[in-house]
Amino acid sequence: MSDDLIPQVADTFKLMGDPSRLAILMLCLDGPVPVGEIALKLTLSPSLVSHHLRLLRAARLVRSERRGKQVFYEAEDHHIRCIVADMMEHAAEEAGLDTGRSAA
């Protein structure tokens, strides 16, 4: 890996290190979800969710699509899904939980 990428990758992990942003990102993994639904599921204000989504979008972790008056967000690509899924599986192993995924 190029040394030039290390600060960018570190910043990405810092963004995902915030529990609210990570929870928002996780909700966006399975497909497009509107801001209001994210706010409801996480019991956060829509403005706070929008703020976090702006940061996630700037880091290219999520992408947005306007549908009428609503904006839907989803994970930018499969790399983001893999990073989050692998880290969740790793954390579950540490906690002694079964994730249902088989070892490769």
Side-chain angles (χ1 to χ4, degrees):
M1 179 191 299
S2 167
D3 287 347
D4 296 339
L5 293 177
I6 291 173
Q8 181 181 350
V9 172
D11 287 343
T12 301
F13 278 111
K14 264 193 251 181
L15 273 174
M16 292 190 305
D18 179 274
S20 294
R21 280 194 291 269
L22 182 58
I24 290 168
L25 185 57
M26 290 175 66
L27 285 175
C28 296
L29 293 178
D30 294 326
V33 60
V35 174
E37 186 176 324
I38 295 170
L40 263 174
K41 286 185 176 180
L42 299 178
T43 61
L44 298 172
S45 73
S47 61
L48 180 58
V49 170
S50 292
H51 170 73
H52 285 310
L53 285 165
R54 273 192 299 280
L55 296 173
L56 293 170
R57 200 170 110 200
R60 295 183 3 184
L61 296 175
V62 298
R63 64 175 171 236
S64 63
E65 176 187 340
R66 181 170 290 282
R67 296 182 193 167
K69 293 184 178 190
Q70 288 190 314
V71 179
F72 288 74
Y73 290 85
E74 68 180 318
E76 179 66 38
D77 58 30
H78 74 280
H79 298 110
I80 305 307
R81 288 179 185 88
C82 291
I83 290 167
V84 174
D86 286 348
M87 289 307 294
M88 293 302 291
E89 185 173 356
H90 177 71
E93 287 173 0
E94 291 284 316
L97 303 173
D98 181 14
T99 62
R101 287 177 56 174
S102 60

